[in-house]
Amino acid sequence: RPMKVGKEEIVGCLMAVEKWLTIDLKALYREQDKKLQRIEALLSTVPGVDTSIETRGGSNRFRQLIVEWDETDMGITVDECGRRLREGNPSIHVLSNYNPYVIRDSIPKPDPGSAKGKATGSPLTVYSLGLQKGEEMIVGRRLRETLMDTRRG
């Protein structure tokens, strides 16, 4: 009976469809924007950091914060910043070039000939969807602290 589906799974699917059909996406995006704007405000105190809030494309459409900096000037790569956030306490997961679920032949590196030391790979991305109330402040403070520490060092 490998194709057996329990009543709980059926009810779960029906509830998810009902939720999706009745959700107010504008209200959801406003709520997500408020969280990301708090992180953005904290990062605005770090010289050389650029941020933007945008809607993720594709089938999973939600708001995300894009964080970019000149890796040479800042003294830290996007990947290293992501690693420090993951390995810290509490562990914070952001999207960078590191992704344990994707196999890549090579990870993009900064192009020495490019303008300044901007990475040619992915920027650091903070997703709003999984943030619970108040967690945006934890993420923003840790990210700011991580970037500021590299500027001092």
Side-chain angles (χ1 to χ4, degrees):
R1 299 184 42 114
M3 304 297 272
K4 183 179 178 182
V5 178
K7 62 183 177 283
E8 297 84 5
E9 287 86 1
I10 294 170
V11 170
C13 286
L14 287 172
M15 294 300 295
V17 169
E18 182 178 300
K19 175 73 172 178
W20 178 250
L21 292 175
T22 60
I23 196 166
D24 181 352
L25 284 178
K26 288 181 182 178
L28 177 64
Y29 288 167
R30 278 192 306 273
E31 181 183 319
Q32 291 176 352
D33 278 353
K34 286 180 186 176
K35 291 176 183 178
L36 295 177
Q37 287 165 352
R38 289 183 188 110
I39 298 171
E40 194 172 41
L42 287 165
L43 294 179
S44 71
T45 64
V46 182
V49 172
D50 297 316
T51 59
S52 61
I53 297 173
E54 61 184 41
T55 302
R56 183 179 187 276
S59 60
N60 289 328
R61 299 182 56 82
F62 51 86
R63 304 294 280 165
Q64 61 187 11
L65 178 67
I66 305 298
V67 184
E68 297 180 280
W69 61 86
D70 182 307
E71 293 179 330
T72 303
D73 287 349
M74 192 68 72
I76 187 170
T77 65
V78 169
D79 288 344
E80 175 63 16
C81 184
R83 184 191 66 75
R84 289 182 189 183
L85 292 171
R86 269 191 318 280
E87 293 177 0
N89 186 15
S91 181
I92 296 173
H93 290 257
V94 294
L95 185 64
S96 63
N97 292 320
Y98 169 82
N99 186 340
Y101 307 107
V102 175
I103 298 172
R104 296 186 178 145
D105 291 332
S106 64
I107 294 175
K109 301 288 184 207
D111 178 4
S114 68
K116 297 190 125 190
K118 287 260 184 185
T120 55
S122 302
L124 187 133
T125 305
V126 178
Y127 292 133
S128 61
L129 205 55
L131 292 174
Q132 301 300 311
K133 186 176 181 177
E135 288 180 340
E136 70 275 10
M137 298 306 291
I138 297 168
V139 172
R141 287 182 188 125
R142 282 277 309 287
L143 186 49
R144 180 181 63 185
E145 177 184 291
T146 300
L147 293 171
M148 290 296 281
D149 282 352
T150 63
R151 291 193 70 82
R152 289 186 207 116

